[in-house]
Amino acid sequence: MALTQDARYLICMQRYLPTLLLSVLALNTGWFVVYSGDLGVRGLVSQSPGEVSRVFQKDGTLANAVIALHMIAGAVLTFGAPLQALPIVRRRWPGLHRRFGYVLFVLAVTTGLGGLVYITLNGTIGGWWMSLWFAIYGTAMIWTAVNTVYYAMAKDLRRHFAWAVRLVVLAVASWIYRMHYAIWYAATGGLASNKEFTGLFDQIQVVAFFVPYLLVAEIAMRWRDERRPPTAA
Ligand code: HEM
């Protein structure tokens, strides 16, 4: 039976849309990836890291090393996670997908742990509210990475996919955080936001950069599961 033009268009979209969206996402994170990697390397090698960024302390050797490694690992993770999820990589190069999956796991744990240790040693600029939500974010990242690898090893591909989606959302959430700020400052000049990160916008941001995106991903996955034909028992 010949397919109509509309049906062919729909099949084409279904097949290539995820690849297109994930590629565009990875490319758009480029500026933040470079910024984060560069800051991490400079913080690590500089004799006076306090001058590189306010995040680094004058005399905080451990906290500085931990947050510098966090930035470097986080940079590779932000760019690598969407690429790892590309359907073509999963289908054509399963060996590469598997090996890079373990690399991403290490990067996610390093990024999350680095952030958590830094919060424990130093707190965050925005005080307890920001520290709390960043700690939740870091814990969620580690938990998600563990589950993604666990279900891959258990060959439970449905759960592996669901955890991988959550991990990709969390991996790009730090970039989303900066994008929210860029858009907000361009639109309002920085209304309800300040240098201490204690304005109303800043306080909403520490939740809004990852929680709503995780919820949207959950709803999308449920919707997809409900439309899937039941498998034979
Ligand atoms: C996903 C990839 C991530 C990247 C690329 C990344 C990158 C960065 C960068 C570049 C900074 C320096 C601040 C700036 O100049 O903007 C930073 C700070 C920080 N990050 Fe991350 N990060 C990531 C994930 C996380 C996670 C999962 C946590 C949670 C534990 C976290 C916690 C922190 C904390 C607590 C700071 C210091 C905040 C402050 O007091 O200003 N980050 N990160």
Side-chain angles (χ1 to χ4, degrees):
M1 191 181 66
L3 290 171
T4 64
Q5 186 132 5
D6 282 356
R8 255 187 267 136
Y9 174 75
L10 267 177
I11 291 170
C12 196
M13 286 295 277
Q14 256 187 348
R15 186 171 297 167
Y16 297 112
L17 194 63
T19 302
L20 184 71
L21 290 178
L22 287 163
S23 308
V24 170
L25 179 64
L27 286 176
N28 272 292
T29 64
W31 68 269
F32 176 56
V33 169
V34 172
Y35 166 79
S36 182
D38 171 64
L39 201 62
V41 170
R42 283 194 291 129
L44 214 53
V45 299
S46 172
Q47 298 298 318
S48 41
E51 287 166 22
V52 174
S53 159
R54 58 147 189 83
V55 177
F56 298 115
Q57 312 297 301
K58 225 168 125 210
D59 304 310
T61 321
L62 179 60
N64 287 347
V66 156
I67 201 73
L69 284 176
H70 159 95
M71 291 172 195
I72 297 165
V76 185
L77 175 71
T78 305
F79 192 64
L83 295 182
Q84 169 78 350
L86 283 175
I88 189 168
V89 177
R90 290 188 273 133
R91 243 184 279 122
R92 285 216 194 145
W93 301 290
L96 177 68
H97 179 78
R98 195 177 315 121
R99 278 192 294 275
F100 196 53
Y102 289 118
V103 173
L104 284 178
F105 168 76
V106 173
L107 291 170
V109 173
T110 307
T111 306
L113 262 186
L116 289 176
V117 172
Y118 182 85
I119 293 169
T120 310
L121 294 173
N122 211 65
T124 58
I125 186 167
W128 74 269
W129 179 249
M130 183 177 181
S131 297
L132 172 72
W133 281 97
F134 269 63
I136 293 172
Y137 173 46
T139 310
M141 179 171 285
I142 296 169
W143 182 239
T144 307
V146 168
N147 276 291
T148 306
V149 170
Y150 175 80
Y151 285 112
M153 291 171 83
K155 307 268 179 272
D156 183 341
L157 294 188
R158 201 182 60 79
R159 288 200 174 89
H160 167 66
F161 178 83
W163 284 102
V165 168
R166 293 169 193 133
L167 185 57
V168 172
V169 171
L170 291 172
V172 297
S174 273
W175 166 76
I176 294 175
Y177 180 79
R178 272 77 179 180
M179 289 307 292
H180 282 184
Y181 270 96
I183 294 166
W184 184 252
Y185 269 73
T188 70
L191 185 72
S193 172
N194 58 42
K195 276 200 208 122
E196 294 76 35
F197 288 74
T198 53
L200 181 62
F201 176 76
D202 305 310
Q203 293 189 12
I204 293 172
Q205 262 319 289
V206 294
V207 185
F209 78 102
F210 70 104
V211 176
Y213 295 96
L214 282 177
L215 286 176
V216 169
E218 291 306 321
I219 292 167
M221 285 192 287
R222 290 245 164 120
W223 184 74
R224 187 176 178 265
D225 284 349
E226 276 163 19
R227 289 176 69 230
R228 191 176 283 168
T231 47

